[in-house]
Structure formats: structure tokens, C-alpha cells
Amino acid sequence: MFDRRQFVAGLAGTSILAAPTVARAQAVSWDLSTVWPDGNFHTINAKKFADEVKAATGGAVNITVKAGGQLGFKGPEHLRAVRDGLVPIADVLNIQQIGDEPILGAEGIPFLVGSIDELRIYHKHIRPVFERVVQNNNQKNLYIVPWPTQYLHLKVKADSLAGLAGQKVRCPDRGAQDMVNALGLTGVVIPWGETIPALASGAVQGVSTSAVSGVDGKFWEFLKYIYPTNHVWSCQMVNVNMDAWNKLPANHKASIEAVAKKLEPEFWATSVKADTDSLARLKQGGMEVVDIPAPMMADMRRRTANMVQDYIKRVPAAKAPIEAYLAEVKRS
């Protein structure tokens, strides 16, 4: 027979033993989907974010980064996948979501933004719009990181657009395709996962993308020349499904938001460094950076000059943030 003290002590022991089970039951595990390979700086960023979230929440929120499209989603499917809860969190390339939300292509207007500093100014005006659109798609943006400057990676060398006429170029989105077509080349929209097979088969003779992706794809095996056009920008948005987010207690939400806010400036700096390092690697692989003649660059800008207003006509929500940005950088 147990006396009263033994009975109470037994209950306490049971509670202590049960506590870890309760804690484990409250832990959350999320798979983060990204199409980029393990060595890509966006994937490295996501893994660092996951590690710091785990630490900040005391192991209560565990994010596993699934790189290289492991979960079966292509880049243009990520906004919908998070919206519909098919994946709890993903690294979403904004310009590839324009079929669902055209405003997310607002960074892809040719030659609108000329540098990373101008992009910071643009984000003061366009990011709140992005965040509202993301919220309307049943998700919350945690952080945004830009791709570095964009290049045209090609097989041929020319000192005028006439010398590039007709070259088939892989583009990540419709905006880049329109620009490439305006330059007299032929743009083909192809998701990243299908780009290297397209190069290998000869379906395309060039790629519009960053030097970082050029390294990911080992472009030196297919292409020879790098044109530093800096024609468009784009960003990766790490978004979490709102239903998954709302299941978290308030303290864990606050911890995750604090981690994202702390890391985002570091991730932007990583983007700048990734461009420098990747360009050096492409040259090491045998590719040559073309010194674009001033008349050729002027021709590029002239042929695409109407695309800002064309975009605003198609996407009226872009008018106010674009005009506010242009006023701040003192451009008309």
C-alpha cells in the first residue's frame, strides 16, 4: 500500500516523465522547398536561417532545407505551393510568379534599377506591395534577398546587337523574354531545372541570369562570353504558409521574425560577394567578360525604353511605387 506522500511523489514523477513527451509533441518540422542546389548562396542562406530559427526557438521549430527541387516543385510553382499548403515554406523567385501575380515582376523591368544601392531605394517603395500580395496568397514573407547583377551568357562575341540577332536565349520569366526579344535575340522562358539540358541539346545558345547561376550550371562547358548588361533584378522571397504560421505560439513567431530581420542585411551582402566570386569562377573556367561598347549599350536602352510604361499599363498597381522610386533617384 502507498501512503499519501508516496502517492503524491509518484504523480510528480509521472509528470516529470511526461513533460519531454509534451514538448516533443509541440515541436514543429517544416520542409523548405528551393530549386537551387546546395552550393548556391540562397540555399546556404536558407540553411543558416533554419539553424538560427532552431536555436532561437529552443528546437521547437525545425526547418529542413530541401535543395535542388527535391520536393518536386519548379520555381514558378512555389507561390501556389505555399498558398495551398502543399509545402509549408519555400524560397520563391518573385519574377517567376507573374502568371499568378503580375506585380511580382516589378523588378524585372529592363534598366529600371542600375545598382544594389538603387535596389534598396526601390524596395522602400515596392516591398510593401510585395508583402500585401504575398499575404493575399495565404502566406507571410519572412525575408527577401536579391540575386546579383544579371548578365547575358552567350556563345558568340559581338560589338553590336546586329551581331547577336536571332540567338536563342533562356529567360527566367516573361519580362526578361520581352527584353531579349526587343534586343533582336529570341527569348525562351525555361525554368532553371531545364536550363542545362536545353544548353546541352542546343535548344538555346545563351542564358539570361546571374554569374552565380552560371557557376551552378558550369556554363563554361557550353558558353564562352559574358555580357555585363545588368538589365534586370529579381529577388528570392522566403515565404511561410499562413495556416502553418498561425499554429505557432506568439513567442516563436517573434523569435523567427527577429532572426529574419537580423540576417537579411547579411544575406544582401552575401549576394554582392557571390557575384564577385562567381564572375571570377566563370573566368577561371575559360569564359570572357565582354567590354560592351557604349553605342551597343545605348542601343539596348533605347530599344527597351518603352517597357516601363508598358508594364505600368499592364500592372497599374506598379505605378505609384515606380514613380516614387524614380523621384527619389531623380530620374524621370
Side-chain angles (χ1 to χ4, degrees), residues 117-118 120-122 124-125 321-331:
D117 290 332
E118 286 190 353
R120 289 189 179 94
I121 295 171
Y122 192 27
K124 286 169 50 179
H125 305 287
I322 288 175
E323 289 183 348
Y325 157 73
L326 290 173
E328 187 164 348
V329 296
K330 296 179 171 55
R331 294 206 330 253

Side-chain angles (χ1 to χ4, degrees), residues 84-136:
D84 298 340
L86 301 178
V87 62
I89 185 170
D91 195 12
V92 182
L93 177 55
N94 59 356
I95 60 171
Q96 287 189 330
Q97 317 309 313
I98 61 174
D100 296 311
E101 294 290 354
I103 188 65
L104 293 180
E107 290 175 340
I109 302 169
F111 306 110
L112 177 64
V113 177
S115 67
I116 194 76
D117 290 332
E118 286 190 353
L119 186 64
R120 289 189 179 94
I121 295 171
Y122 192 27
H123 269 224
K124 286 169 50 179
H125 305 287
I126 199 65
R127 182 165 179 167
V129 180
F130 286 172
E131 289 176 343
R132 285 195 297 271
V133 167
V134 165
Q135 186 175 19
N136 290 340

Side-chain angles (χ1 to χ4, degrees), residues 196-212:
I196 305 309
L199 279 173
S201 69
V204 295
Q205 297 86 47
V207 182
S208 169
T209 192
S210 67
V212 174

Side-chain angles (χ1 to χ4, degrees), residues 6-328:
Q6 290 172 317
F7 180 72
V8 171
L11 286 177
T14 302
S15 299
I16 291 170
L17 290 172
T21 302
V22 172
R24 284 195 296 270
Q26 292 175 339
V28 171
S29 295
W30 290 341
D31 284 342
L32 187 157
S33 180
T34 179
V35 300
W36 310 115
D38 282 320
N40 185 281
F41 81 97
H42 284 297
T43 304
I44 294 170
N45 286 347
K47 289 181 177 180
K48 181 168 186 176
F49 173 71
D51 288 343
E52 296 213 11
V53 164
K54 183 175 182 178
T57 61
V61 180
N62 297 286
I63 301 173
T64 302
V65 177
K66 298 292 187 177
Q70 290 179 52
L71 298 183
F73 299 106
K74 296 178 181 179
E77 299 169 340
H78 268 149
L79 189 75
R80 276 170 276 148
V82 177
R83 180 194 68 198
D84 298 340
L86 301 178
V87 62
I89 185 170
D91 195 12
V92 182
L93 177 55
N94 59 356
I95 60 171
Q96 287 189 330
Q97 317 309 313
I98 61 174
D100 296 311
E101 294 290 354
I103 188 65
L104 293 180
E107 290 175 340
I109 302 169
F111 306 110
L112 177 64
V113 177
S115 67
I116 194 76
D117 290 332
E118 286 190 353
L119 186 64
R120 289 189 179 94
I121 295 171
Y122 192 27
H123 269 224
K124 286 169 50 179
H125 305 287
I126 199 65
R127 182 165 179 167
V129 180
F130 286 172
E131 289 176 343
R132 285 195 297 271
V133 167
V134 165
Q135 186 175 19
N136 290 340
N137 280 268
N138 191 39
Q139 52 203 278
K140 174 183 176 63
N141 174 249
L142 296 175
Y143 67 83
I144 297 179
V145 181
W147 281 92
T149 184
Q150 298 290 293
Y151 302 87
L152 291 177
H153 306 259
L154 301 170
K155 286 189 174 184
V156 298
K157 185 176 183 179
D159 58 7
S160 69
L161 289 177
L164 301 178
Q167 293 287 304
K168 288 186 178 180
V169 177
R170 173 267 178 182
C171 300
D173 68 293
R174 163 108 182 260
Q177 181 187 35
D178 289 345
M179 184 214 74
V180 166
N181 289 341
L183 298 183
L185 294 83
T186 302
V188 183
V189 177
I190 300 177
W192 175 251
E194 300 171 16
T195 297
I196 305 309
L199 279 173
S201 69
V204 295
Q205 297 86 47
V207 182
S208 169
T209 192
S210 67
V212 174
S213 291
V215 172
D216 288 343
K218 298 181 180 179
F219 280 3
W220 53 84
E221 296 181 357
F222 310 98
L223 305 170
K224 180 64 178 175
Y225 301 102
I226 307 164
Y227 291 76
T229 48
N230 190 25
H231 48 280
V232 295
W233 293 81
S234 61
C235 284
Q236 295 290 145
M237 306 184 299
V238 171
N239 297 343
V240 59
N241 173 271
M242 282 302 298
D243 299 323
W245 178 256
N246 287 333
K247 291 177 183 177
L248 299 180
N251 62 321
H252 292 159
K253 290 179 182 177
S255 295
I256 294 171
E257 289 175 323
V259 167
K261 184 176 181 180
K262 181 190 77 169
L263 289 179
E264 186 173 300
E266 176 185 325
F267 290 166
W268 277 58
T270 300
S271 175
V272 175
K273 185 176 186 301
D275 176 57
T276 302
D277 293 347
S278 297
L279 196 59
R281 179 65 186 91
L282 291 176
K283 290 191 286 186
Q284 182 185 356
M287 298 186 73
E288 176 186 338
V289 177
V290 176
D291 185 11
I292 303 175
M296 184 178 179
M297 183 60 75
D299 196 15
M300 289 183 180
R301 293 179 178 275
R302 180 184 59 78
R303 294 192 189 198
T304 58
N306 64 330
M307 294 183 71
V308 174
Q309 291 306 317
D310 287 349
Y311 181 82
I312 289 173
K313 288 178 183 177
R314 291 199 313 272
V315 189
K319 180 178 173 64
I322 288 175
E323 289 183 348
Y325 157 73
L326 290 173
E328 187 164 348

